[in-house]
């Protein structure tokens, strides 16, 4: 069940009432913000609210990169894996994160604190390597000083 | 110092220009001019005369595009203006500057463009990772509605415009304008058949213009200062300034607004040259989908017509630098992986060809390449070229690969010969 | 007409078509995947690339997708040019990167479009050396097997399922080379047309799950052209047999009928043919240990024993059947005499059928063919749930709603085949479709308006519409709201180019049928070429109706009067037609009861004698579909035992009784001639198919492919020498592989094959043009044509009786799975049949303190039916709907007065 607050927020993204389903990507984003990831129940809830079928909505949800259809940790690290950051040391940064968190890309730490996901170009090419934790962008990340970044996230 | 109409007022402390400050430096004057007396066709004509070419990558003349929109009372309704703020091309970080620093300039551009094509609704399609821009645009939209620049009967002109921010949930193909429209409609973002072009049948089948952020930010200045002025700030017959950027192992990576037609060398100078101990080996001039240039191209003017003469494209104008201590095969592998991941999966050559290339490049990079792999890669460069695939994503991927295969042929061969990457120990 | 140059040769093509269609019509081998004649072009697979040149001086040219390229006069292209050939071979190479190469274990092998295209492009060697990815498959229910690894991502499945068939539960998931086609989660595919995925999918992702139980390769079937017996539409089918078992049903293209598609009842209902319970020899009832038991007898015993009952001087009553062929009904009529022949229908069913026939035989409105339903641009349905009663008609009406919105696309200059832009231009616009029914229907999702009311309410709406169109048509007394709706519908029908009115007997109301006639006639009289289309209950209902005759009740009357000793029941389970008490009485009134049927029905079980009839697959015969189209079914295979066509049994009895000569009507053709001579209304059925004497190049048409395997070995367990081929005196077809299978008339085509084209896609090679009729014309003949100048008067409007007394009106709801007798016994269909229920409007239920799911007892005519309650928010008030025709459910004569009681739960 979607809470009334969530429904209101989704509703605020319906700009043309005859195209209710157009708000589905916004709805996925909003519900994911609240629930961390999009489980099957969320798919059904949103689909119903926007008068879509779960099949249609899941077809959309699984198309895009930023929607998690599997559980993630409390904090999601999106490390930029694209070309400028790669030139500037993506591999080293990724390896450092893997070692520190003891997980591979796509995995979640045992304590559910972090999920590590490679991300396409973060548009921060002049300050690579870059990564985002949740909504926060971190630029010029030094693999040797990762704790400065990670310690901010419980 | 040359004129920097797009960025001169962007605060240097990383904050955004507020509505008040924007108005203080002449903001929304163009909207007052246009809505206060110009005809929609006048605005379009002025943009045409200014020679503005789209800054999204393809460089299509903006005024020409607008002029294709059906006008008059018979035209289908509503019409839409869509801002392409999906900036996801690797190596590209220019729209972010405009979005975060001066959202009102974009909104003003939106109002002018919408007025020119008589759109009633406009959407800003912003990539999901741009959270700072999101907050600032939301705030600026709020301010603009409050101030009467958006909404019903704008400034008493009778012109109505609703402008909404749409956050993408992430996919490079959403930058392709027709895929973007599908995403806006809440559908799987596969590109659409063209023709019909969005100008005729776009969002929900209605006439729609899709323009890049930077393109639209130029509009207020063109209306304010005129086509002649606009042409005068450029070093080319296409008017205006351009946001140029440099990333890679240079001393001072960054972004600059310069007259259109600045040279590669000027940009390298602004970037402070290569980091100590490194030499320039290759330049991807305008985002991942453009062919490599080389150290021999420092004199080359970065504009829509000149770069093609050197076998590449200006693209987004943000250069990615390859130095001599970085493996070109690894770089191409990284780029190809990107395109392969971001293929929408609609057409066969791209969906199944790119992953094959990615695997072949990985094999070469990791030392298990075979001599025939080079032929395999070369064949694909042709097979995934323009016209072969449904949209321009795969041909874009072939640009760096194809040029790398010629420019760095020896590096590829060495990987295969030595069965290892010479740059890894 | 446009002249285009292909590899230098000037060739004629049709304006407006795309290059791929043009190449196909010209017989060129241009490979393709995502294009489908019914679905149009989307340009996704890139398989159909050819070279296009600017002019004769252009030597370079550029690749274009032929399916996306409009032909233009003077255009120059090359199919043979090497770059395009190389590109096409590469498309296969790419598709094969993840394809499992499992042809030997794949059900599609041998009729796989991917195999064909692979060969066509000359892609011979795999060069991909990396690991393939694998997918998890889904359980999609009893009809469709899912094997995602074979997918080549052509997107046809979702385009067919969602865009064409209106399904909602199949979609594309994920992206890049992980694209997945399936459901959001495992589960039965909801569409009634899911089986077409088997033929739409160009490879083995979606295959026939029922076939899996008794799999046979394409070239090993024995096939013949046939007609579906599971509803009245007469969709053309190709049944396939091997080892005496019917293995599967495939679509047989006929533009005027079903086109490319079948419904799932038609595709999967066939297993009744394979039932173990079928009588295989003549049976006689004997008492053994005090219990009646049917024991087999020989043919000669049966004929001599039963034949006596029909000898001169004795009188027999014959009850025909709407699910038996014209020939079978005629043979019965000839055996018992026209005056003793009764239609196997209840009085109520007979009345509804006559009402329809009277309208279509005497009125000015034409009945469109099933295929033509797609062309109408405004449709009104009165009282039918077409999806459950006449499924392919529903599928075609679903297409009709696009006709008006397609004008948007046309105005933008978008060619009709350019599917995605056309759909975009239509957006959510849907052409007028109005549905008046008792309860929601499966077409409601595309309806402009729905209206749920009692049959009288529906009829009144209809009369009001007719009255708006032509004030001469009697007015009905309706509320302001209904008037407004009637006016809206009248306007929509009048402003359309080709309006259509659809109705039928499902409401059990003559008034509904007559109201439909008034509307269509009113439109005709206002110079609109309106169509009228009536659903009919069974495969030969209309054919039976054309014989004319009395009903089962009259037969009982005649028996009661005495004078007749014998009752013959032809392919009819009377317990499904009239109340059990009446059947019991009928059976006890006659001294001898003979049933000729291929099913061991409840009626057959009580008969003194049972003669084993042939199913559609085992005999020749003619069926007349709902609009009066006569179509021939050819025998597919020789059944075991004494099974033979009912008409042949009856002919034999006639000879054995001395009424007919032994050598009379031996061949099917002579029998047909006798039929036509006796009943001239049927004279055109002779044209439905060539006579048995027909030959191509002096040869018969083979039922088996030239690659049929194992004919020397398959019966080696019986005898090692090859068994001879059974002769077929009844048709120009042979039960063997010898003969000429090309250039045969469409009525004799069952298996479409041409070198290089082994899949369902080969059909395009046999059409006059893409989506056109089969070469030489679509098989079948229309027996009923309108009377354009007819002055037949309008029907009087009904008096609506809106006062609700205490009793409920019980009405039937038909179910695609379960309501039809023969398919219901096929396990896959049975699995999807509904459980019994009684459905009320939610408010009606609430007013009586009842809730959805409650156990209730419905009392009708003294019968008490315990069932569970369903509620619905929009259905007609004062009505209780019960599923029609479910196995083991008691017969109810609808409409009936009903009482509803809460069951006492223990
Ligand atoms: C794969 C692909 C990705 C693209 N991404 C972007 C993008 O992120 N932003 C953008 O403005 N244009 C992008 N484009 C170009 C757009 O399709 C379109 O040409 C542009 O938005 C038009 O705007 P303009 O005329 O103002 O340049 C992309 C094109 C392709 C083929
Ligand atoms: S080239 Fe084809 S698969 Fe690739 S992104 Fe474009 S449409 Fe999608
Ligand atoms: S058939 Fe033409 S692209 Fe698929």
């Amino acid at each position: 069940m979607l809470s009334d607050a969530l429904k209101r927020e989704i509703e605020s993204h319906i700009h043309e009432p005859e195209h209710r389903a157009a708000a589905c990507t916004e709805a996925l984003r909003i519900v994911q913000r609240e629930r961390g990831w999009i489980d099957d129940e969320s798919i059904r809830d949103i689909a119903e609210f926007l008068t879509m079928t779960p099949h249609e909505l899941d077809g959309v949800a699984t198309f895009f990169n930023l929607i998690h259809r599997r559980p993630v940790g409390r904090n999601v690290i999106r490390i930029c894996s694209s070309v400028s950051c790669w030139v500037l040391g993506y591999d080293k940064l990724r390896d450092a994160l893997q070692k520190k968190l003891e997980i591979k890309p796509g995995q979640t730490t045992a304590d559910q604190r972090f999920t590590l996901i490679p991300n396409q170009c973060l548009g921060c090419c002049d300050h690579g390597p870059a990564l985002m934790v949740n909504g926060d962008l971190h630029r010029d990340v030094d693999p040797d000083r990762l704790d400065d970044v990670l310690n901010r996230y419980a | 110092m040359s004129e920097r109409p797009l960025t001169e007022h962007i605060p240097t402390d990383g904050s955004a220009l507020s509505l008040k400050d924007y108005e203080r430096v002449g903001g929304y004057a163009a909207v007052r001019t246009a809505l206060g007396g110009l005809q929609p066709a006048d605005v379009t004509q002025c943009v045409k005369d200014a020679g503005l070419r789209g800054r999204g990558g393809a460089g299509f003349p903006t005024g020409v595009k607008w002029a294709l929109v059906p006008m008059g009372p018979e035209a289908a309704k509503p019409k839409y203006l869509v801002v392409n703020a999906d900036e996801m091309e690797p190596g590209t970080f220019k729209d972010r500057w405009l979005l975060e620093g001066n959202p009102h300039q974009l909104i003003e551009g939106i109002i002018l463009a919408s007025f020119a094509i008589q759109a009633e609704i406009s959407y800003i399609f912003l990539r999901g990772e741009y959270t700072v821009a999101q907050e600032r645009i939301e705030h600026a939209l709020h301010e603009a509605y409050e101030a009467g620049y958006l909404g019903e009967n704008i400034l008493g002109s009778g012109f109505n415009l609703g402008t909404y921010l749409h956050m993408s949930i992430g996919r490079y193909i959403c930058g392709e304008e027709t895929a973007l429209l599908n995403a806006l409609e809440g559908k799987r973002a596969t590109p659409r058949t063209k023709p019909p072009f969005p100008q005729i049948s776009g969002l929900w089948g209605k006439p729609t213009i899709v323009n890049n952020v930077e393109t639209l930010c130029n509009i207020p200045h063109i209306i304010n200062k005129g086509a002649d002025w606009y042409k005068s700030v450029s070093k080319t017959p296409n008017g205006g300034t351009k946001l140029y950027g440099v990333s890679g192992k240079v001393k001072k990576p960054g972004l600059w607004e310069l007259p259109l037609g600045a040279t590669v060398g000027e940009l390298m100078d602004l970037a402070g040259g290569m980091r100590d101990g490194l030499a320039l080996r290759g330049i991807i001039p305008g985002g991942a989908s453009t062919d490599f240039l080389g150290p021999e191209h420092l004199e080359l003017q970065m504009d829509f017509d000149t770069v093609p003469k050197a076998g590449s494209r200006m693209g987004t104008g943000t250069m990615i630098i390859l130095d001599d201590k970085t493996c070109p095969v690894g770089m191409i592998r990284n780029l190809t992986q990107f395109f392969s991941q971001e293929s929408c999966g609609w057409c066969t050559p791209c969906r199944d060809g790119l992953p094959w290339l990615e695997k072949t490049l990985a094999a070469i990079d990791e030392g298990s390449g075979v001599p025939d792999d080079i032929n395999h890669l070369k064949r694909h460069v042709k097979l995934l070229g323009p016209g072969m695939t449904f949209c321009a994503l795969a041909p874009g991927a072939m640009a760096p690969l194809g040029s790398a295969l010629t420019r760095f042929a020896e590096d590829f061969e060495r990987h295969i010969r030595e069965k290892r990457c010479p740059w890894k120990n | 007409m446009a002249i285009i140059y292909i590899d230098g040769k000037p060739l004629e093509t049709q304006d407006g078509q795309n290059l791929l269609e043009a190449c196909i019509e010209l017989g060129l081998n241009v490979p393709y995947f995502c294009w489908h004649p019914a679905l149009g072009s989307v340009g996704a697979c890139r398989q159909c690339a050819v070279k296009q040149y600017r002019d004769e001086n252009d030597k370079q040219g550029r690749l274009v997708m032929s399916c996306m390229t409009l032909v233009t006069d003077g255009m120059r292209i090359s199919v043979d040019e090497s770059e395009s050939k190389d590109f096409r071979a590469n498309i296969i190479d790419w598709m094969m990167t993840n394809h499992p190469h499992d042809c030997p274990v794949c059900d599609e092998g041998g009729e796989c479009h991917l195999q064909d295209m692979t060969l066509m492009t000359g892609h011979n060697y795999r060069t991909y050396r990396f690991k393939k990815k694998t997918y998890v498959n889904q359980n999609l229910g009893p009809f469709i097997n899912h094997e995602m690894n074979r997918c080549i991502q052509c997107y046809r499945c979702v385009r067919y399922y969602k865009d064409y068939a209106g399904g909602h539960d199949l979609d594309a998931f994920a992206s890049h080379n992980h694209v997945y086609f399936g459901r959001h989660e495992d589960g039965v595919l909801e569409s009634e047309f899911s089986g077409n995925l088997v033929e739409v999918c160009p490879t083995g992702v979606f295959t026939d799950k029922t076939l899996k139980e008794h799999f046979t390769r394409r070239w090993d079937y024995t096939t013949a052209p046939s007609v579906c017996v599971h509803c009245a539409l007469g969709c053309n089918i190709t049944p396939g047999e091997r080892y005496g078992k019917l293995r599967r049903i495939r679509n047989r293209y006929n533009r005027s009928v079903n086109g490319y598609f079948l419904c799932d009842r038609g595709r999967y209902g066939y297993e009744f043919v394979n039932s173990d319970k079928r009588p295989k020899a003549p049976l006689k009832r004997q008492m053994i240990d005090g219990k009646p038991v049917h024991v087999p007898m020989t043919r000669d015993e049966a004929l001599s024993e039963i034949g006596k009952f029909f000898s001169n001087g004795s009188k027999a009553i014959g009850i025909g059947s709407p699910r038996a062929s014209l020939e079978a009904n005629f043979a019965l009529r000839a055996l018992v005499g026209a005056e003793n022949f009764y239609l196997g229908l209840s009085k109520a069913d007979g009345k509804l059928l006559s009402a329809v026939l009277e309208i279509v035989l005497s009125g000015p409105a034409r009945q469109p063919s099933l295929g033509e339903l797609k062309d109408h641009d405004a449709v009104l349905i009165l009282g039918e749930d077409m999806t459950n009663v006449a499924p392919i008609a529903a599928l075609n009406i679903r297409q009709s709603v696009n006709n008006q919105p397609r004008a948007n696309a046309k105005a933008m200059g978008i060619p009709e085949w350019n599917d995605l832009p056309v759909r975009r231009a239509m957006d959510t616009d849907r052409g007028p479709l109005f549905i008046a029914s008792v309860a929601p229907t499966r077409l409601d999702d595309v309806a402009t308006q729905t209206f749920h009311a009692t049959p009288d309410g529906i009829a009144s709406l209809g009369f009001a519409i007719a009255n708006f169109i032509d004030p001469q048509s009697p007015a009905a007394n309706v509320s302001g709201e209904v008037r407004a709706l009637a006016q809206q519908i009248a306007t929509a029908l009048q402003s359309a180019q080709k309006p259509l009115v659809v109705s039928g007997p499902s409401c059990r109301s003559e008034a509904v049928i007559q109201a439909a006639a008034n509307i269509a006639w009113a439109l005709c009289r206002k110079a609109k070429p309106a169509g009228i289309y009536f659903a009919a209950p069974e495969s030969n209902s209309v054919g039976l109706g054309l014989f004319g005759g009395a009903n089962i009740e009259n037969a009982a009357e005649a028996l009661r009067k005495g004078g007749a000793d014998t009752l013959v029941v032809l392919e009819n389970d009377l317990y499904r037609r009239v109340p059990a008490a009446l059947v019991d009485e009928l059976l006890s009134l006659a001294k001898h009861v003979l049933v000729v049927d291929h099913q061991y029905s409840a009626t057959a079980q009580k008969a003194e004698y049972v003669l084993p009839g042939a199913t559609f697959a085992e005999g020749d015969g003619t069926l007349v579909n709902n609009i009066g189209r006569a179509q021939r079914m050819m025998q597919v295979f020789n059944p075991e035992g004494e099974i033979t066509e009912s008409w042949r049994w009856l002919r034999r009895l006639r000879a054995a009784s001395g009424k007919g000569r032994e050598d009379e009507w031996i061949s099917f053709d002579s029998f047909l001639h006798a039929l036509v001579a006796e009943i001239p209304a049927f004279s055109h059925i002779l044209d439905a198919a060539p006579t048995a004497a027909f030959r191509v190049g002096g040869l018969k048409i083979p039922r088996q492919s030239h690659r049929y395997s194992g004919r020397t070995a398959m019966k080696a367990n019986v005898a090692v020498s090859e068994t001879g081929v059974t002769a077929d005196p009844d048709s120009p077809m042979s039960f063997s592989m010898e003969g000429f299978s090309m250039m045969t008339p469409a009525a004799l085509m069952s298996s479409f094959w041409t070198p290089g084209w082994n899949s369902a896609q080969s059909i395009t090679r046999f059409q006059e043009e893409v989506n056109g009729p089969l070469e030489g014309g679509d098989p079948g003949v229309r027996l009923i044509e309108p009377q354009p100048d007819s002055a037949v008067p309008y029907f009087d409007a009904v008096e609506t009786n809106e006062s609700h007394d205490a009793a409920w009106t019980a009405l039937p709801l038909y179910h695609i799975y379960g309501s039809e007798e023969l398919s219901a016994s096929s396990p896959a269909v049975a699995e999807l049949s509904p459980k019994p229920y009684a459905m009320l409007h939610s408010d009606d239920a609430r007013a009586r303190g009842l809730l959805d799911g409650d156990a209730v007892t419905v009392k009708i005519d003294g019968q008490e039916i315990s069932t569970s309650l369903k509620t619905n928010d929009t259905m007609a008030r004062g009505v209780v709907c019960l599923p029609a025709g479910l196995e083991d459910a008691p017969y109810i004569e609808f409409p009936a007065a009903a009482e509803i009681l809460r069951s006492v739960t223990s």
Side-chain angles (χ1 to χ4, degrees), chain A residues 14 23 31 41 43 47-48 52 54 72 93 96-97 137:
Chain A
I14 299 173
V31 172
E41 192 191 332
I43 289 283
E48 190 190 344
M52 304 170 79
V72 290
L93 180 59
L97 274 164
L137 179 67

Side-chain angles (χ1 to χ4, degrees), chain B residues 10-221:
Chain B
I10 292 180
T12 47
D13 62 356
S15 67
L17 198 65
S18 67
L19 175 62
K20 273 221 173 60
D21 290 341
Y22 184 61
E23 284 174 329
R24 202 169 37 74
V25 297
Y28 289 109
V31 164
R32 289 179 194 280
T33 311
L35 270 55
L38 296 183
Q39 290 301 310
D42 300 337
V43 177
T44 302
Q45 190 57 46
C46 185
V47 172
K48 248 191 208 172
D49 293 343
L52 169 62
R53 291 179 62 172
R55 305 297 197 233
F60 194 82
T62 305
V64 175
K65 184 147 116 183
W66 293 1
L68 295 170
V69 174
M71 297 295 287
E74 298 291 287
K77 271 181 144 178
K79 291 187 266 189
Y80 296 93
L81 179 92
V82 175
V83 184
N84 191 341
D86 194 49
E87 188 157 84
M88 224 177 132
E89 180 87 12
T92 304
F93 49 106
K94 66 182 183 79
D95 293 339
R96 179 199 281 273
W97 192 14
L98 299 171
L99 292 162
E100 291 181 356
N102 195 354
H104 280 291
Q105 176 175 257
L106 174 64
I107 293 169
E108 188 171 14
I110 290 170
I111 300 167
L112 293 165
S114 301
F115 176 72
I117 62 163
Q118 291 290 294
E120 290 165 42
I121 301 175
S122 71
Y123 287 100
I124 303 170
F125 188 93
L126 180 64
R127 74 174 293 197
E129 293 93 334
Y130 279 12
T131 47
V132 174
Q134 176 187 5
E135 268 170 40
R136 293 184 183 175
I137 292 169
E138 273 168 2
H139 180 71
L141 282 174
H142 183 73
E143 285 180 323
Y145 271 106
E146 292 285 297
Y149 294 121
L150 289 175
E152 305 277 295
N153 190 17
I154 298 171
L155 304 178
S157 66
F159 179 65
N160 307 325
L161 179 67
T163 298
Y164 310 108
L165 176 64
H166 177 104
M167 294 306 292
S168 174
I169 48 176
R171 255 200 175 272
Y172 171 58
I173 194 62
C174 294
E176 199 284 336
E177 56 183 4
T178 60
L180 185 154
L181 297 178
N182 275 337
L184 263 184
E185 290 184 12
K187 304 195 170 96
R188 292 168 58 81
T190 46
R192 298 175 175 183
T193 312
K194 288 193 272 192
F197 291 92
Q199 293 90 295
I200 308 295
S201 177
L203 201 57
W204 289 295
K206 299 295 188 296
T208 304
I209 285 290
V210 182
N211 271 135
N212 171 256
V213 171
E214 185 184 347
T215 310
L216 289 169
C217 288
N218 279 280
I219 309 296
H221 308 289

Side-chain angles (χ1 to χ4, degrees), chain B residues 310-386:
Chain B
S312 186
R313 292 187 309 118
M314 182 172 75
T316 57
T318 43
M319 311 195 314
I320 310 157
I321 304 301
L322 170 70
D323 57 84
D324 63 342
K325 298 270 161 64
T326 298
C327 173
V329 174
M331 183 166 174
I332 275 295
R333 175 185 176 185
N334 174 279
L335 285 166
T336 307
Q337 188 172 22
F338 168 84
F339 289 111
S340 164
Q341 280 293 307
E342 293 304 316
S343 165
C344 78
W346 175 250
C347 72
T348 311
C350 172
R351 179 190 60 241
D352 292 327
L354 289 177
W356 195 349
L357 290 176
E358 178 193 339
K359 287 191 170 114
T360 307
L361 286 162
I364 297 174
D365 191 31
E366 284 163 14
S368 57
V370 296
D372 196 44
D373 283 347
I374 303 291
N375 292 329
H376 180 72
L377 296 175
K378 283 188 177 153
R379 271 170 55 72
H380 269 74
V381 170
K382 270 208 199 147
L383 290 166
L384 302 190

Side-chain angles (χ1 to χ4, degrees), chain C residues 533-706:
Chain C
Y533 195 82
F534 288 110
E538 283 161 90
S539 59
N540 202 22
S541 291
V542 168
L544 182 72
L546 289 173
F547 276 101
N551 310 306
I552 298 173
E553 285 89 336
N554 301 116
E557 199 55 38
L559 278 171
R560 280 186 210 114
K561 275 203 203 122
D565 283 344
T566 307
L567 172 66
V568 189
V569 180
L570 169 67
E571 299 188 25
N572 205 336
D573 183 2
L574 301 178
Y575 286 102
R576 293 178 63 86
R577 308 224 176 250
V578 289
L582 180 60
V583 185
D584 291 342
E585 190 197 347
L586 259 171
L587 299 180
S588 62
L589 280 170
K591 216 150 116 202
H592 304 292
V593 175
L594 164 65
V595 168
V596 189
D597 201 350
H598 45 79
Q599 296 301 294
Y600 195 49
S601 69
T603 308
Q605 285 165 33
K606 295 214 172 157
E608 184 183 3
Y609 295 98
V610 179
L611 294 178
T615 64
F616 71 98
E618 297 148 340
D620 297 281
T622 308
L623 297 176
V624 179
N625 82 351
N626 61 320
I627 65 137
R629 185 188 190 87
Q631 304 189 102
R632 186 72 47 77
M633 320 177 270
M634 301 280 171
Q635 180 174 2
V636 178
F637 68 104
N638 271 308
E640 54 177 307
E642 285 294 344
I643 292 173
T644 192
E645 292 107 322
S646 302
W647 62 264
R648 205 179 290 276
W649 275 118
L650 296 164
R651 184 202 71 77
R652 286 174 184 161
L653 283 175
R654 191 162 173 275
S657 71
K659 269 190 178 163
R661 291 197 322 272
E662 187 56 46
D663 60 352
E664 198 175 34
W665 304 350
I666 292 280
S667 79
F668 184 74
D669 287 322
S670 63
F671 182 58
L672 267 192
H673 276 99
L675 193 168
V676 169
E678 175 93 14
I679 310 172
F682 290 128
S683 56
H684 291 301
I685 66 171
L686 296 176
D687 306 330
T691 65
F694 178 86
R695 296 289 181 277
V696 177
L699 296 171
K700 283 199 143 201
I701 318 300
R703 282 181 171 88
Q704 294 165 354
S705 80
H706 56 296

Side-chain angles (χ1 to χ4, degrees), chain C residues 126-343:
Chain C
R126 178 141 71 104
T127 47
Y128 185 71
R129 68 172 196 273
F130 303 103
K131 204 171 150 187
K132 289 174 186 271
K133 67 178 185 299
T134 49
Y135 292 100
V136 176
N137 300 318
Q138 292 184 321
N139 183 350
L140 300 176
F143 294 153
I144 299 284
N145 193 71
H146 191 222
E147 177 55 61
M148 248 312 285
N149 288 330
R150 298 180 185 136
C151 181
I152 54 157
Q153 279 88 6
C154 69
Y155 288 81
R156 267 191 189 182
C157 55
V158 284
R159 293 180 54 228
Y160 160 73
Y161 194 92
K162 291 177 69 185
D163 297 348
Y164 192 91
H168 299 289
D169 63 328
L170 184 80
D171 231 302
F173 299 89
S175 57
H176 53 94
N177 72 339
H178 294 164
V179 175
Y180 185 93
F181 299 93
R183 294 179 89 255
H184 155 68
E185 54 195 358
D186 286 33
V188 181
L189 285 171
E190 287 160 13
S191 168
E192 293 81 359
F193 308 99
S194 70
N196 296 311
L197 289 172
V198 170
E199 293 184 48
V200 165
C201 172
T203 174
V205 178
F206 299 101
T207 53
D208 182 335
K209 208 182 233 179
T210 67
L211 171 62
K212 256 195 162 14
E213 297 298 312
H214 37 231
F215 183 70
T216 299
R217 284 271 176 231
R218 178 205 157 109
W219 53 79
D220 280 341
Y221 292 105
T222 301
T223 65
S226 191
V227 176
C228 180
V229 295
H230 299 294
C231 86
L233 299 178
C235 292
N236 290 196
I237 54 169
T238 295
E241 173 269 357
R242 188 165 171 91
Y243 285 113
K245 255 208 168 93
L246 192 56
R247 306 273 158 157
R248 70 163 180 193
I249 303 292
R250 293 278 276 198
N251 182 69
R252 179 164 65 98
Y253 178 84
N254 183 328
R255 184 194 56 161
S256 305
V257 188
N258 47 306
Y260 302 95
F261 304 123
L262 293 176
C263 78
D264 289 356
R265 174 154 99 196
R267 189 181 294 270
Y268 297 109
Y270 67 91
E271 301 259 28
F272 75 93
V273 173
N274 299 330
S275 165
D276 290 340
K277 297 190 200 116
R278 284 182 59 185
K280 298 196 172 116
L283 303 175
K284 180 180 184 173
R285 194 168 57 182
Q286 288 177 359
M287 298 303 279
I288 295 179
D289 296 338
K291 272 195 230 134
V293 178
H294 271 137
V295 289
M297 58 202 301
T298 66
R299 185 201 303 186
D300 290 343
E301 281 167 6
L303 288 176
S304 69
E305 206 171 313
I306 308 169
K308 286 200 228 76
F309 308 149
F310 304 98
S311 56
N312 279 335
S314 57
K315 181 174 159 186
I317 297 270
I319 294 184
S321 169
R323 68 161 162 86
S325 67
L326 283 186
E327 291 80 0
N329 279 297
F330 175 71
L332 176 61
R333 192 171 175 270
L335 177 68
V336 298
E339 67 287 359
N340 297 321
F341 174 71
Y342 295 85
L343 304 184

Side-chain angles (χ1 to χ4, degrees), chain B residues 348 390, chain C residues 20 31-36 40-49 65-68 95 154 156:
Chain B
T348 311
F390 192 83
Chain C
L20 178 60
Y32 61 85
F33 286 105
C34 62
W35 178 83
H36 182 286
S41 307
V42 294
C45 74
R46 318 305 277 178
Q47 182 62 77
C48 65
M65 298 309 129
S66 58
C67 72
M68 300 299 281
M95 287 175 169
C154 69
R156 267 191 189 182

